[in-house]
Amino acid sequence: MNQHKQLLLKAQCAVEENKDLVRQHARKRQWYHFMPECGWMNDPNGLIYYKGKYHLFYQFYPYGPYWSAMHWGHAVSDDLLSWKHLPVALAPSEPYDDCQKGGVFSGSAVEGEDGRLYLFYTGTIVNEDKVTKSQCLAVSDDGIHFVKYEGNPVVAPTAFVESDPKVWRRGNRWYMIVGGEEDHKGRAILYASQDLKTWERFGTILESDGTLGAMWECPDLFTVDGRDVLVIGPMHLGERKCTYLTGNMDYKKRAFTPFSIGEVDCGFDYYAPQSFEDPKGRRIQFAWANAWDWMPWWKGFGTTAQEGWCGAMSIPREVRVQGDLLRFLPVEELRSLRKNYRDYGPLHLYEWSRMEIEAGDGVHCEILAVLSLQETAAERLIFQVRCADGVQGGNNRCTKLIFDLREGRLTVDRNGADDWSTGRKSCKLRLLSQESLLIHIFMDTVSVELFTDDYTTAFSTNIYPEEACTELYVRAEGGGASFLSFETWGMRRVCR
Ligand code: FRU
């Protein structure tokens, strides 16, 4: 048995040993957000619809709930929501990817013309702080067992650090985009190939003009609604950590010309999104619902590591274009999880009043409300979620989602969420329509995902309140507030 197979078996044994413990004892497992069975997870990798199933791979460390020697975990689904875990797909095993501080880094998947599944990843080696990254290939006949290509790496290390290959087909060519830096400027670099094995460097399609960060991670380039879109993870750029540029990709000139810029998600916990096109023609995106230590608001990876696991995905979102903006719509499959419907609308809130709302068990739920801007005088509208008085030594708990209608700002304040979370983060509220404001919230055991501004603004955050924190209020300040509709649901459990 070769080295890679042996290391995959070893990794899988660790999963089999630890997953039951997590299942039996963990209290903070999500109900409908994908998580590893145990150990550590970060970026989504290799998203693809292949031979009748959705495949999700992910950055994985099976031996403990912390980042170390990266593997690729693997799961499949029929509906993007309930996932079946498959054996670990890739393990660090070769001179170009076997490293405790490196490993099999992020990448993507394509179906080759021969019907086989091709995975591209960055082999990463760290030697006395010198980082060597190369782009590598692994291939599978059955979509489950992967063999690393004997000609690896398919793109040898360059003078600059390049990583996170995203591969796609266009016309009669394959293309690959990687993120990198040169002269302290983040950049996206394009390669091309006829056979997925020999790659020609086409060069930089876009680089930072000095305002977009020193290094770009996990680039994603795709066309949706006739527009080309480049998504990047610019490092060390303050509030920006997950940015999109809409524009035009000229394959002849090998250049991307941006028209507009925006944030994919302006919350605390959404990074390294990857997208793919599904058989229904939808552009679907997942992201790692967490943050890195280089982000200004970071304080740790949350409290679930105590339970032997760490890391969850966002809900799947469909990406659409509206003018110069992108819209991020929770996929329609999520409706199949709804239960315990409550209809509160139309609903009027008087000035300074606070109304208690029921949404499922108050923890695993969905809220869909449409505020009438015409009939609302309130300066601020505040959703207070996961609240409870006097838990754990008398602490009051609450996470606030604050819609500042006068200033046009959305602020999420998680300072009072639990014993662990801190921070307050804001972004612009566009108030695109003068008539109404849509507010759509998905809550799971340890996460809140908020969509507003006709889905052009998304905000994700993780919080870790006690189970008793189930109260939910809406409050209007500085005037009354009128909702045209106000609906809530509980959510079914599909992940364990
Ligand atoms: C992004 C990232 C990638 C890298 C991976 C390592 O979150 O830093 O650039 O490939 O994580 O786990």
Side-chain angles (χ1 to χ4, degrees):
M1 195 188 298
N2 73 24
Q3 171 94 342
H4 187 221
K5 267 198 186 153
Q6 273 178 33
L7 289 161
L8 284 174
L9 274 182
K10 185 173 163 220
Q12 197 54 40
C13 283
V15 174
E16 299 307 325
E17 259 173 50
N18 296 328
K19 72 177 189 195
D20 292 337
L21 273 177
V22 171
R23 244 177 214 220
Q24 282 159 21
H25 302 294
R27 314 285 312 188
K28 296 202 163 82
R29 299 285 281 173
Q30 301 271 58
W31 280 21
Y32 60 96
H33 285 78
F34 180 81
M35 301 154 288
E37 291 174 285
C38 60
W40 166 274
M41 181 185 83
N42 55 291
D43 313 355
N45 294 154
L47 295 173
I48 190 168
Y49 188 84
Y50 177 71
K51 296 209 178 357
K53 297 255 182 235
Y54 290 105
H55 287 248
L56 165 64
F57 299 85
Y58 54 93
Q59 289 285 278
F60 184 41
Y61 185 64
Y63 301 103
Y66 46 86
W67 190 96
S68 190
M70 278 293 109
H71 294 56
W72 275 32
H74 187 193
V76 285
S77 171
D78 292 320
D79 62 2
L80 296 164
L81 298 173
S82 95
W83 294 91
K84 178 175 177 250
H85 290 277
L86 291 178
V88 182
L90 298 172
S93 63
E94 310 301 316
Y96 52 81
D97 66 15
D98 187 8
C99 176
Q100 198 71 24
K101 290 186 186 163
V104 181
F105 274 19
S106 285
S108 56
V110 289
E111 180 173 350
E113 285 168 301
D114 55 4
R116 299 199 293 165
L117 187 55
Y118 287 69
L119 302 184
F120 290 87
Y121 66 92
T122 301
T124 303
I125 300 288
V126 183
N127 213 335
E128 287 174 6
D129 288 341
K130 185 182 176 318
V131 183
T132 308
K133 293 190 174 192
S134 55
Q135 314 318 322
C136 306
L137 166 65
V139 188
S140 171
D141 290 325
D142 61 2
I144 299 176
H145 304 93
F146 293 87
V147 175
K148 291 181 186 171
Y149 174 51
E150 69 277 7
N152 272 345
V154 289
V155 178
T158 63
F160 311 100
V161 175
E162 296 181 357
S163 66
D164 310 332
K166 179 82 196 298
V167 178
W168 69 99
R169 188 164 179 89
R170 186 175 182 277
N172 54 5
R173 262 213 186 107
W174 296 98
Y175 290 95
M176 172 197 290
I177 189 176
V178 293
E181 70 92 21
E182 198 179 317
D183 304 330
H184 302 294
K185 282 190 199 145
R187 56 184 60 215
I189 301 121
L190 188 69
Y191 287 83
S193 171
Q194 298 291 349
D195 64 357
L196 292 170
K197 289 174 180 157
T198 314
W199 291 88
E200 184 190 343
R201 197 175 204 272
F202 272 15
T204 299
I205 56 157
L206 187 72
E207 68 174 18
S208 167
D209 56 4
T211 64
L212 272 183
M215 166 76 194
W216 292 355
E217 297 192 309
C218 302
D220 194 3
L221 179 63
F222 53 86
T223 305
V224 63
D225 296 325
R227 235 345 141 81
D228 297 327
V229 177
L230 177 64
V231 175
I232 53 172
M235 288 179 80
H236 308 293
L237 208 57
E239 298 282 293
R240 271 197 201 285
K241 44 91 175 93
C242 190
T243 299
Y244 68 78
L245 300 136
T246 77
N248 178 45
M249 177 65 209
D250 188 327
Y251 284 85
K252 281 207 187 90
K253 291 194 183 132
R254 302 173 183 177
F256 182 88
T257 309
F259 301 154
S260 68
I261 183 165
E263 287 303 285
V264 177
D265 184 299
C266 44
F268 294 95
D269 294 295
Y270 194 90
Y271 191 62
Q274 186 177 100
S275 73
F276 70 108
E277 192 178 307
D278 89 337
K280 295 179 187 160
R282 298 178 297 177
R283 176 59 51 175
I284 291 169
Q285 184 186 66
F286 280 88
W288 174 43
N290 227 314
W292 282 123
D293 47 2
W294 48 266
M295 296 177 194
W297 54 87
W298 185 84
K299 82 168 274 212
F301 296 109
T303 63
T304 68
Q306 296 154 11
E307 305 184 343
W309 67 283
C310 189
M313 290 299 166
S314 64
I315 51 171
R317 303 173 180 184
E318 185 183 352
V319 184
R320 301 296 307 261
V321 173
Q322 179 173 310
D324 279 343
L325 300 172
L326 292 192
R327 302 174 74 213
F328 302 95
L329 300 126
V331 296
E332 64 186 15
E333 283 86 339
L334 281 154
R335 292 190 198 146
S336 70
L337 303 183
R338 289 171 170 172
K339 59 178 190 183
N340 303 342
Y341 179 57
R342 293 285 312 255
D343 187 2
Y344 285 93
L347 175 74
H348 187 78
L349 280 183
Y350 292 95
E351 182 173 6
W352 305 114
S353 68
R354 183 171 99 147
M355 180 170 168
E356 181 157 11
I357 299 284
E358 267 180 38
D361 61 5
V363 178
H364 314 91
C365 57
E366 179 185 347
I367 301 149
L368 179 56
V370 180
L371 182 73
S372 161
L373 292 175
Q374 304 281 333
E375 287 161 47
T376 291
E379 291 167 14
R380 274 177 307 282
L381 182 73
I382 308 181
F383 281 69
Q384 303 174 336
V385 305
R386 299 298 306 275
C387 304
D389 288 340
V391 282
Q392 295 257 320
N395 288 325
N396 290 349
R397 303 287 194 223
C398 223
T399 300
K400 293 183 192 152
L401 320 176
I402 306 161
F403 296 82
D404 193 321
L405 302 168
R406 221 176 34 186
E407 302 275 316
R409 287 201 82 64
L410 165 70
T411 302
V412 173
D413 184 341
R414 62 178 189 184
N415 282 313
D418 50 59
D419 270 342
W420 187 86
S421 305
T422 49
R424 208 179 141 89
K425 199 170 181 305
S426 299
C427 63
K428 192 172 155 54
L429 196 58
R430 294 195 175 91
L431 302 171
L432 288 174
S433 142
Q434 306 206 321
E435 261 106 68
S436 61
L437 177 70
L438 168 134
I439 299 170
H440 200 169
I441 303 169
F442 288 83
M443 290 171 30
D444 203 340
T445 319
V446 294
S447 68
V448 179
E449 276 165 282
L450 163 64
F451 301 85
T452 187
D453 273 341
D454 203 14
Y455 298 102
T456 62
T457 299
F459 194 114
S460 299
T461 185
N462 295 340
I463 48 170
Y464 304 91
E466 292 81 4
E467 282 161 76
C469 304
T470 58
E471 289 153 33
L472 166 56
Y473 303 95
V474 194
R475 179 179 161 86
E477 289 184 357
S482 275
F483 289 94
L484 298 170
S485 64
F486 200 118
E487 299 165 290
T488 74
W489 295 265
M491 296 295 259
R492 283 193 305 119
R493 183 171 197 168
V494 283
C495 297
R496 286 197 184 266

